[in-house]
């Protein structure tokens, strides 16, 4: 494994919103737990106090990445021009927020609504995705931001469910700053194994989410982390590796519902974060 991997933590381990108190708690707690990066979910980018958050990040020596999924009324995979326009505006706002925070990564389900679709993606919907993401990538390149397309399971999008689909979409977008964002939780559902997607992505792999099969403590589910980290090491992957976990102990009204976070998988955020950091360190050392 490349020694330059930033280890990140998703803010939902600590908080369910981004109020002044929550932002301070999440950033200070992440730094205290020994992580290099915090992933800040921004489903409503305009609600983020970017100046205050940027100061907190600087004061605590943390890098930041931003993530979101689109909404039903702001979905670039739609065939409705007004809905596509809403998605374009949401992505532009998310990019602006990322830049204002001093971040260099914007990822997630940037290509569709975060939710279960009643039918397959249409040809027109996919063409809209390619066009809109090409435009976003151009603006992001000017700002020094990488765009990550997170491959998620079939119940959270009908656009990208496998690494192969992500690579095909990225090829059609044709921008160097668009990368594949793999997530072990979703790979466990959709991929045949954990090694093949990593090898297939090659240098296009730019961000990795580490999550257990039930989204709880690492090592207590069915994910073959040995195979995954072995593949990352073989590939020489040097990008961020971010732990992501959700529990009903920490609730964001929109995100929790979209991700079907109905169960209390943990209560002690600090213990969970410490356990994940130690687990990731062991996996990287073994690789």
């Amino acid at each position: 494994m490349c020694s330059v991997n930033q280890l990140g933590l998703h803010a939902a381990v600590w908080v369910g919103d981004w109020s002044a108190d929550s932002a301070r708690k999440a950033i200070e707690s992440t730094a205290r737990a020994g992580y290099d990066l915090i992933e800040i979910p921004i489903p409503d980018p305009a609600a983020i106090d970017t100046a205050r958050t940027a100061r907190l990040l600087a004061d605590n020596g943390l890098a930041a990445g931003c993530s979101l999924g689109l909404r039903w009324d702001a979905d670039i995979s739609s065939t409705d021009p007004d809905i596509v326009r809403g998605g374009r505006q949401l992505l532009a706002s998310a990019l602006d927020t990322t830049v204002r925070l001093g971040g260099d990564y914007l990822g997630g389900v940037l290509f569709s609504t975060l939710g279960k679709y009643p039918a397959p993606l249409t040809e027109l919907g996919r063409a809209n995705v390619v066009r809109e993401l090409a435009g976003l990538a151009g603006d992001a390149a000017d700002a020094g931001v990488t765009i990550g397309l997170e491959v998620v399971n079939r119940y959270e999008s009908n656009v990208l469910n496998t690494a192969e689909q992500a690579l095909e979409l990225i090829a059609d977008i044709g921008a160097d700053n668009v990368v594949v964002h793999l997530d072990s939780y979703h790979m466990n559902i959709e991929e045949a194994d954990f090694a093949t997607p990593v090898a297939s992505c090659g240098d296009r792999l730019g961000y990795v989410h580490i999550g257990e099969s039930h989204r709880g403590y690492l090592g207590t589910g069915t994910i073959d982390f040995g195979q995954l980290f072995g593949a990352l090491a073989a590939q020489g992957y040097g990008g961020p590796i971010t732990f992501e976990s959700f529990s009903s102990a920490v609730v964001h009204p929109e995100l929790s519902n979209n991700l079907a976070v109905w169960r209390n998988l943990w209560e002690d955020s600090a213990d969970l974060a410490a356990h994940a950091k130690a687990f990731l360190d062991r996996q990287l050392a073994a690789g």
Side-chain angles (χ1 to χ4, degrees), residues 53-64:
T53 299
R55 287 194 300 271
L56 283 168
L57 290 166
D59 290 346
N60 287 274
L62 275 186

Side-chain angles (χ1 to χ4, degrees), residues 141-226:
D142 292 339
V145 174
T146 296
I147 298 298
L149 305 184
E150 183 173 8
V151 182
V152 297
N153 69 75
R154 72 197 78 172
Y155 309 111
E156 294 182 19
S157 176
N158 66 352
V159 178
L160 297 183
N161 304 136
T162 67
E164 181 180 1
Q165 290 175 319
L167 291 168
E168 291 172 353
L169 185 66
I170 288 173
D172 289 343
I173 293 168
D176 292 338
N177 63 322
V178 181
V179 299
V180 181
H181 173 158
L182 290 181
D183 183 314
S184 60
Y185 168 80
H186 299 290
M187 294 169 74
N188 191 55
I189 299 172
E190 300 292 349
E191 303 283 7
D193 59 46
F194 295 96
T196 304
V198 173
S200 297
C201 288
D203 292 340
R204 276 295 185 180
L205 180 59
Y207 198 90
V208 175
H209 266 162
I210 298 298
E212 189 49 271
S213 58
H214 46 48
R215 293 198 182 277
Y217 277 78
L218 297 178
T220 64
T222 61
I223 304 287
D224 187 344
F225 286 111

